[in-house]
Amino acid sequence: MDSQVAIVSGALFGLLGCVAPAALFERALRGNSGVSLATGIAAVGVSFFSLTVVLLVVYTATNAGFLEFGCALVAAFLLFWGIEAIRAWRVANGRSSHRGEG
């Protein structure tokens, strides 16, 4: 696998692993009901399982580019949740997540 392809696909799959918890996180930020501990654990489980399966498939399919793929996957995942943590901190402290509001 070419290193550029590994990096781009790793970043995309890292963001794909964020989808289930991010949907739940957005519902929680908006204050919608239906957000429970069980749905949170299920969302984290889906994310963990999907990222683990993707890493296993890439590792068994090709060993070339696995390090780049894994690093890009983790970096995209952590960058996404770093940004979401900042948003949650702002909401918790009474600041709006949009510019010009608040």
Side-chain angles (χ1 to χ4, degrees), residues 34-50:
V35 178
S36 67
L37 181 62
T39 56
I41 291 172
V44 170
V46 166
S47 175
F48 176 76
F49 182 72
S50 64

Side-chain angles (χ1 to χ4, degrees), residues 1 3-18 51 54 68-80:
M1 182 184 306
S3 65
Q4 293 174 342
V5 173
I7 291 169
V8 170
S9 59
L12 290 176
F13 278 109
L15 294 175
L16 182 67
C18 296
L51 291 176
V54 165
E68 293 89 352
F69 179 86
C71 288
L73 183 134
V74 170
F77 184 85
L78 292 177
L79 179 65
F80 178 85

Side-chain angles (χ1 to χ4, degrees), residues 47-97:
S47 175
F48 176 76
F49 182 72
S50 64
L51 291 176
T52 302
V53 168
V54 165
L55 282 173
L56 181 65
V57 167
V58 171
Y59 182 73
T60 57
T62 180
N63 214 7
F66 179 71
L67 180 63
E68 293 89 352
F69 179 86
C71 288
L73 183 134
V74 170
F77 184 85
L78 292 177
L79 179 65
F80 178 85
W81 285 111
I83 293 169
E84 291 298 308
I86 292 168
R87 286 184 59 222
W89 181 81
R90 290 177 58 134
V91 168
N93 287 309
R95 296 187 182 112
S96 175
S97 63

